[in-house]
Amino acid sequence: MAHSRQDRRWARRKEARPAELISAALDLFVERGFAATRLEDVAARAGVSKGTLYLYFPSKEDLFKAVVRGGIVPAIERAEKQFEVHRGGAGELIRQLVKGWWTSVGNTRLGGIPKLMISESGNFPELAQFYHDEVISRGHRLVAAAVQRGIDTGEFQPVDVNYAMRLVIAPLWLLTVWRFSFGQCDRQQLDPVAYLDLHVDLILRGLGAAAEPAMVGEQRPGLRSAPRPTAGTTINSAAGRK
Amino acid sequence: MAHSRQDRRWARRKEARPAELISAALDLFVERGFAATRLEDVAARAGVSKGTLYLYFPSKEDLFKAVVRGGIVPAIERAEKQFEVHRGGAGELIRQLVKGWWTSVGNTRLGGIPKLMISESGNFPELAQFYHDEVISRGHRLVAAAVQRGIDTGEFQPVDVNYAMRLVIAPLWLLTVWRFSFGQCDRQQLDPVAYLDLHVDLILRGLGAAAEPAMVGEQRPGLRSAPRPTAGTTINSAAGRK
DNA sequence: TATATTACTGACTGATTGGTCAGTTACGCC
DNA sequence: GGCGTAACTGACCAATCAGTCAGTAATATA
């Protein structure tokens, strides 16, 4: 044997390198932003030299693209599946989509990508377009379809779906973006799950068919206010947790 | 006379320089981000040379601070005045605060600053802290106080004000951030005023005291659903505009 | 007009870093 | 064992740009 394991200065690992480089790049891009991340650091974190990085990615920009492509697209596809499978009220669907987003994006390392994309969109219009077409517009379509379904069944009021959809996702944007920007400045840590719960409670209540006196008796089963515990308790459940 | 107006290569304008430099820097920082903005370009846009810029601002970072200080802080102070002066329901107060934000920040050049701060917060923790203390936490306090007032008067349900406050402002963040990130990618232009109107309609409806059958008869005067035109019409007013 | 003051200029420097490539070394194959 | 291939290294190059400063010219003052 020419080398013991310790002697070996490096090993050939052609298959593993790209994923390891992308993972390292995700960490550093999210942590420092695109411009402030040095490729030498990315390479070092992946356990290789800068030259090796350039064997797999022709430029810094291409590495950036690979990070975005690899991380987010699968998540949106899972959400689309979730939508197709769902049987039940639109309100419950929206609740589940929000929850799914939290577990598969918001609460993972991927949560840094939205903020990263916002920050760098100006300097990479082409990449912004890609992200918009491949992720954002699909997400928008999904949520808009859920809202539309609620309107069609009479569960929601006939609002403009395009605006309502944006109001549904706005707090999700804020949550991720916040964590990677002013998260450190905020002394009080808020519980993301409680925050999202309250958001869904409020927005569904806001969207819900008017609770006019005449309608109280003939509320549809899907309507949010009845099936869950007392509205006050539910909405206020956020207050209990620290 | 030594020089005609055309001959003169430059003029002494000590008083005007800082404001002009800050204005130029605001444009370029918003357009390109902090790292990608070259000070030579800022100086050129302000009609001076790079050396002059350094006569007024000791470093790029200090210039950045000056941009933030000069632009946003006065706006938040105006909002605080608005709060103190207001007489009327909490719902109407929130509506006015949102409207005021739109006219004095969202719909002006200053609208780019929130996105700028989000993007650069990671690389300038000290500045992020400054912005957080001087702008964000004051804005939070303001909106939280408005929500609290609504709860105290019984106009709103007893939700956790800290979470509700964030839900009130989330769509405002999204609106400004969007314009300076994916705004170009979006083919459909949405009307910000209609968007904000719908937001306020929905969130106030969501926050509103429960319209339980028993309570319908004894709604307080401040309650949102009755005083405005039919809920359906109002909420849907967004749909009408293009 | 002459002189002093200082706002302003712009070429320069030093540090950083994206990207290159000639050389080195692991490893498959005979 | 030894040979060929290609994965990998790291010193190097070139471009960029924040920040400097010796010099220039506008203006105040006398």
Side-chain angles (χ1 to χ4, degrees):
Chain A
M1 192 187 293
H3 297 281
S4 77
R5 186 134 201 112
Q6 288 84 323
D7 283 350
R8 208 169 47 185
R9 305 242 304 271
W10 47 266
R12 297 180 156 197
R13 294 178 56 246
K14 187 186 169 78
E15 312 304 325
R17 298 300 188 205
E20 289 171 359
L21 286 164
I22 286 175
S23 175
L26 170 59
D27 285 346
L28 291 177
F29 281 153
V30 164
E31 188 182 320
R32 305 182 194 172
F34 182 80
T37 296
R38 284 177 301 136
L39 289 188
E40 199 141 20
D41 290 347
V42 173
R45 177 175 285 229
V48 295
S49 72
K50 189 161 65 153
T52 298
L53 194 157
Y54 276 91
L55 291 177
Y56 294 100
F57 302 96
S59 74
K60 193 182 189 181
E61 195 168 338
D62 284 280
L63 175 61
F64 189 62
K65 288 183 187 179
V67 167
V68 173
R69 267 184 247 267
I72 287 284
V73 173
I76 194 82
E77 281 165 354
R78 249 172 291 149
E80 284 168 348
K81 265 288 190 297
Q82 207 176 351
F83 176 88
E84 283 162 22
V85 166
H86 182 81
R87 298 284 170 267
E92 199 51 44
L93 173 57
I94 286 175
R95 191 177 294 277
Q96 282 185 18
L97 287 175
V98 170
K99 193 151 279 179
W101 169 87
W102 171 245
T103 57
S104 76
V105 178
N107 198 24
T108 70
R109 283 200 312 160
L110 295 177
I113 289 186
K115 188 255 186 182
L116 184 60
M117 285 305 313
I118 284 173
S119 301
E120 305 301 340
S121 58
N123 298 107
F124 301 94
E126 185 211 350
L127 185 56
Q129 188 70 52
F130 163 78
Y131 189 77
H132 181 268
D133 295 345
E134 211 63 35
V135 180
I136 293 177
S137 76
R138 284 167 76 176
H140 280 190
R141 238 194 321 276
L142 202 61
V143 176
V147 173
Q148 186 64 56
R149 182 185 291 184
I151 294 173
D152 292 344
T153 65
E155 191 178 339
F156 297 156
Q157 294 189 44
V159 296
D160 184 294
V161 289
N162 216 350
Y163 291 76
M165 166 272 283
R166 283 177 153 84
L167 294 174
V168 170
I169 58 179
L172 314 198
W173 277 101
L174 186 61
L175 187 57
T176 42
V177 166
W178 197 262
R179 180 148 65 100
F180 294 95
S181 52
F182 299 106
Q184 298 307 319
C185 304
D186 241 348
R187 117 174 50 269
Q188 54 178 330
Q189 298 299 325
L190 49 75
D191 172 8
V193 175
Y195 167 77
L196 291 174
D197 274 349
L198 179 61
H199 166 50
V200 174
D201 286 339
L202 288 189
I203 193 87
L204 293 186
R205 195 161 188 270
L207 283 170
E212 301 291 325
M215 291 198 59
V216 170
E218 50 188 30
Q219 282 178 347
R220 281 162 234 265
L223 202 57
R224 201 81 302 285
S225 42
R228 292 183 66 84
T230 329
T233 323
T234 304
I235 290 176
N236 214 12
S237 65
R241 313 175 211 183
K242 183 51 191 288
Chain B
M1 190 187 294
H3 295 280
S4 77
R5 185 135 201 110
Q6 286 85 325
D7 282 350
R8 207 169 48 185
R9 305 243 303 272
W10 47 267
R12 296 179 158 197
R13 294 177 57 246
K14 188 185 170 76
E15 312 305 324
R17 298 301 187 204
E20 289 171 358
L21 285 163
I22 286 175
S23 174
L26 171 59
D27 286 345
L28 290 177
F29 281 152
V30 164
E31 187 182 321
R32 305 183 195 172
F34 182 79
T37 296
R38 285 177 303 136
L39 290 189
E40 198 141 19
D41 290 347
V42 173
R45 178 175 285 229
V48 296
S49 72
K50 189 160 66 151
T52 298
L53 193 157
Y54 275 92
L55 291 178
Y56 294 100
F57 302 97
S59 74
K60 193 181 188 182
E61 196 166 339
D62 283 281
L63 176 60
F64 190 62
K65 287 184 187 180
V67 167
V68 173
R69 265 183 249 266
I72 287 282
V73 173
I76 193 82
E77 280 165 355
R78 250 172 291 149
E80 284 168 349
K81 265 288 190 298
Q82 207 176 350
F83 177 88
E84 282 162 24
V85 166
H86 182 83
R87 297 285 170 264
E92 199 50 44
L93 173 57
I94 286 175
R95 191 178 295 276
Q96 281 184 18
L97 286 175
V98 170
K99 193 152 279 178
W101 170 86
W102 171 246
T103 56
S104 75
V105 177
N107 197 26
T108 69
R109 283 199 312 160
L110 295 177
I113 289 186
K115 187 256 186 183
L116 183 60
M117 286 306 312
I118 284 173
S119 301
E120 305 301 342
S121 58
N123 297 108
F124 301 94
E126 185 211 350
L127 185 57
Q129 188 70 51
F130 162 78
Y131 189 77
H132 180 269
D133 296 345
E134 211 62 35
V135 180
I136 293 179
S137 77
R138 284 168 76 175
H140 279 191
R141 237 192 325 274
L142 202 60
V143 175
V147 173
Q148 185 65 55
R149 181 184 292 184
I151 294 172
D152 292 344
T153 64
E155 190 178 340
F156 298 155
Q157 294 189 45
V159 296
D160 183 293
V161 288
N162 216 350
Y163 291 76
M165 166 271 282
R166 284 178 152 84
L167 294 173
V168 170
I169 58 180
L172 314 196
W173 278 101
L174 185 61
L175 187 57
T176 40
V177 166
W178 196 263
R179 180 147 66 100
F180 293 94
S181 53
F182 299 107
Q184 298 306 321
C185 304
D186 240 349
R187 120 173 49 268
Q188 55 178 330
Q189 298 299 324
L190 50 75
D191 173 8
V193 175
Y195 166 78
L196 291 174
D197 274 349
L198 179 62
H199 166 51
V200 173
D201 287 339
L202 288 189
I203 194 86
L204 292 187
R205 194 162 188 270
L207 283 170
E212 301 291 323
M215 291 198 58
V216 169
E218 51 189 29
Q219 282 180 346
R220 280 163 235 264
L223 201 59
R224 200 87 297 289
S225 42
R228 293 184 65 85
T230 329
T233 324
T234 303
I235 289 174
N236 213 12
S237 65
R241 315 174 208 183
K242 184 48 191 291

